[in-house]
Amino acid sequence: MSSLESVRRFAAEIDRVDVLVHNAGVLPQERTVTVEGLELTFATHVLGPLLMTDLLRSRLAASADPRVVLVSSGGMYTQRLRADDPEYREGTYKSATAYARTKRMQVTLVPLLAERYAAEGIAVHGMHPGWADTPGVAGSLPGFHRLTSAFLRTAEEGADTVVWLAATSPAPRAGRFWHDRRERPAHLLPGTAEKPGDVAAFWRYCAGAAGLR
């Protein structure tokens, strides 16, 4: 997902798609740049999913009930949209912050993509699964995993709302953010709401970086 060229090759090989779930994730301990010059977390969580969805647009539209689900994280609640620094070039890089920032970006994309694809009947949803006991958590956040292992959800519990968004009928309202099959607010903490022009600037940057038309 971090390689836009790889995403393009993959999309060219797909003949049919009904549901597209974006759940690929990374948590590099240091700021890492891809061969295409993109910050790795941003490329994996934001640009790769954005490009793949757009490239599969016509094949999704051919489905009877196409849906796209972006799997975010509750950690995004701690961050505002950094349209001024989407690739974390400024300040001291912190992996958890980079992760949460890009998860905020995913949530910002949901209503934008829902509007972009509405005429073609493609529903776009966002969600967060809660903290689940997965190899990614154990490997990237070992201290957190040790302290919270008794409270973490199973992978199946974390995936429940993803499956529900992908398959329930009638379909949930598009362009919303969900947790445990309930619509949730996109912001909880003061100071995290988008400033005027942030969303438009963020979209221009992403569209340009991904080469969207």
Side-chain angles (χ1 to χ4, degrees):
M1 290 301 295
S2 65
S3 166
L4 301 188
E5 179 57 33
S6 179
V7 168
R8 292 186 183 96
R9 289 198 305 268
F10 171 80
E13 297 171 358
I14 299 299
D15 294 323
R16 172 179 172 176
V17 58
D18 300 297
V19 177
L20 183 58
V21 177
H22 292 298
N23 190 41
V26 293
L27 195 71
Q29 295 306 302
E30 298 179 351
R31 188 181 186 277
T32 305
V33 177
T34 70
V35 295
E36 293 163 312
L38 301 165
E39 193 275 314
L40 179 61
T41 311
F42 176 67
T44 305
H45 297 166
V46 182
L47 290 187
L50 175 60
L51 178 61
M52 181 179 290
T53 304
D54 219 64
L55 291 173
L56 295 176
R57 181 175 184 171
S58 62
R59 276 149 286 182
L60 280 163
S63 175
D65 188 12
R67 305 181 196 185
V68 177
V69 181
L70 284 93
V71 180
S72 184
S73 165
M76 68 93 190
Y77 279 122
T78 67
Q79 298 295 317
R80 65 179 177 88
L81 179 65
R82 289 300 306 270
D84 60 324
D85 185 24
E87 297 195 55
Y88 211 146
R89 291 188 172 94
E90 301 173 2
T92 302
Y93 184 87
K94 297 179 181 179
S95 58
T97 301
Y99 185 89
R101 283 185 182 182
T102 53
K103 290 299 176 179
R104 163 61 68 191
M105 294 175 192
Q106 287 182 330
V107 175
T108 302
L109 281 177
V110 169
L112 297 178
L113 295 183
E115 181 179 358
R116 181 175 175 88
Y117 304 135
E120 292 152 292
I122 303 170
V124 182
H125 309 284
M127 62 83 65
H128 82 86
W131 284 102
D133 192 357
T134 65
V137 173
S140 300
L141 300 169
F144 174 85
H145 185 262
R146 285 194 300 271
L147 291 172
T148 62
S149 59
F151 308 101
L152 294 176
R153 298 177 170 200
T154 65
E156 290 77 12
E157 289 169 335
D160 176 76
T161 299
V162 176
V163 176
W164 178 76
L165 287 168
T168 193
S169 183
R173 292 194 299 170
R176 302 316 199 267
F177 185 62
W178 303 84
H179 173 62
D180 286 346
R181 303 192 184 191
R182 291 178 57 191
E183 186 177 338
R184 307 291 183 171
H187 300 87
L188 291 177
L189 300 179
T192 60
E194 286 77 23
K195 296 179 181 178
D198 278 357
V199 174
F202 168 67
W203 174 256
R204 286 194 300 271
Y205 189 93
C206 291
L212 302 192
R213 297 177 180 176

